[in-house]
Amino acid sequence: MPEDQSAGGQDADQGREGLNLAVPSRRQLLMGGAVAASAIVSIRPALANTAASVLNCTIPVPDQGRAGGAIAPNGQVVPAGTPGAFPGTGRTFTGEQVKQALRGRKLPGTSYDQNQAYLNYIRRLQSGTSGFTCFASLQMPR
């Protein structure tokens, strides 16, 4: 039996020796903090550029695939000449213009009713439609 106890004791000693846990030095910890700080400094300008590009992205009303259509007051694209519908603008609005319009201003060159119809169209944009990514990025909190 004494052999088993000594063998168990040797196993325990070997287990401790095999761990060889390294404790980081103060210098290593400071270097790790410097790397993290530089990552933050380099990410901030990228986020600023992203915010700027979101405001400069464009949303056509209507998209190119339905350029000949008109915009109904509820935002649906309908055939040109539909009573009560507004002709497509034939132009694009920037993310900044749309953002301002969603906050109460009018889209440039539109009447109140046209503005509402065009904003309804923009709100109805779906994935795969030109301008959807721009509108979706306006919805993301900063």
Side-chain angles (χ1 to χ4, degrees), residues 3-124:
E3 291 175 19
D4 290 339
Q5 288 175 353
S6 66
Q10 284 178 348
D11 288 342
D13 288 340
Q14 286 175 351
R16 284 188 207 119
E17 289 173 8
L19 288 177
N20 193 13
L21 297 176
V23 177
S25 69
R26 179 178 169 89
R27 182 175 183 214
Q28 288 173 322
L29 289 173
L30 289 173
M31 287 175 53
V35 169
S38 69
I40 291 170
V41 169
S42 64
I43 289 171
R44 282 189 182 157
L47 292 175
N49 289 341
T50 301
S53 67
V54 164
L55 298 179
N56 293 323
C57 63
T58 58
I59 302 173
V61 178
D63 62 299
Q64 294 171 352
R66 301 179 283 179
I71 309 297
N74 66 359
Q76 287 185 320
V77 178
V78 296
T82 301
F86 301 96
T89 62
R91 63 170 281 199
T92 59
F93 297 107
T94 66
E96 177 66 26
Q97 291 169 332
V98 172
K99 186 176 181 180
Q100 296 293 326
L102 291 169
R103 292 182 175 171
R105 288 191 175 170
K106 288 192 321 182
L107 291 167
T110 63
S111 67
Y112 175 81
D113 290 331
Q114 269 181 315
N115 182 66
Q116 293 305 308
Y118 294 163
L119 286 177
N120 286 336
Y121 167 81
I122 292 168
R123 286 184 187 109
R124 295 172 64 108

